[in-house]
Amino acid sequence: MSTVSSPPTHHRRLRWQALAGFIAMSAIVGVVAALAVATRSETHNALARPSWAPPGWLYGPVWSVLLLVVAVAGWYYWRTDGETRGFAFYGVCLLLTLLWTPLFFAGGAHALALADVVVLDFVVPITMMEFGRRSRLAAWLLVPYLLWLLYSTAVNAAVVWLN
């Protein structure tokens, strides 16, 4: 695992545009999540939750920070002239994250949301390993994301169990 100190020349010229692109991709995930939470049903609001579940107001700020960090991780990996395989796993992470909130909040498909987040629990470490081959920083930036996903998995599983 090595950290590449100098990005390729063509990347230096595009680095700020690329960062904006990574932030935009993460922002799309965040907007979809916000819309899904805003359209959650009264049935969802009445679900039994574990006592250790976070308060509803915490999701927005936590996910906003996490998605920004995920964007920066992708950008750092890109700056190393990252391989397609790493980006494929990164894209799967974003897609599964994009799907989880509508499944859990708007769709009421809590068991399907649980399956989605369990897959994420495996894909994120694989992404970290792929990123770590070129940038330790890119890999380490995904640690808070993974930790929150593991916590979310436990909350999601408890909701399925309690309901």
Side-chain angles (χ1 to χ4, degrees):
M1 292 172 47
S2 65
T3 301
V4 176
S5 58
S6 178
T9 305
H10 66 282
H11 283 181
R12 278 188 241 133
R13 284 183 270 139
L14 298 173
R15 73 176 169 204
W16 301 116
Q17 295 93 330
L19 178 58
F22 280 99
I23 292 172
M25 284 188 295
S26 288
I28 290 168
V29 173
V31 168
V32 168
L35 292 172
V37 170
T39 60
R40 69 184 176 265
S41 68
E42 288 303 315
T43 304
H44 175 82
N45 292 335
L47 289 173
R49 291 175 184 71
S51 60
W52 42 269
W57 61 265
L58 187 61
Y59 285 100
V62 167
W63 273 112
S64 296
V65 171
L66 287 175
L67 288 171
L68 179 60
V69 172
V70 167
V72 172
W75 179 67
Y76 268 103
Y77 182 69
W78 172 82
R79 288 182 62 196
T80 68
D81 209 15
E83 298 170 328
T84 304
R85 181 177 161 109
F87 281 121
F89 284 110
Y90 181 80
V92 169
C93 288
L94 287 178
L95 177 62
L96 291 171
T97 301
L98 177 87
L99 293 174
W100 184 84
T101 308
L103 288 170
F104 188 81
F105 287 101
H110 303 108
L112 192 53
L114 179 58
D116 177 274
V117 76
V118 166
V119 172
L120 256 170
D121 293 342
F122 287 96
V123 176
V124 172
I126 294 168
T127 306
M128 292 170 68
M129 288 186 313
E130 290 295 323
F131 277 21
R133 291 181 180 160
R134 293 187 173 257
S135 171
R136 287 183 184 166
L137 179 58
W140 279 104
L141 283 169
L142 294 177
V143 169
Y145 174 53
L146 177 61
L147 294 175
W148 183 259
L149 288 171
L150 293 170
Y151 175 60
S152 296
T153 303
V155 171
N156 194 158
V159 167
V160 169
W161 178 262
L162 293 170
N163 295 281

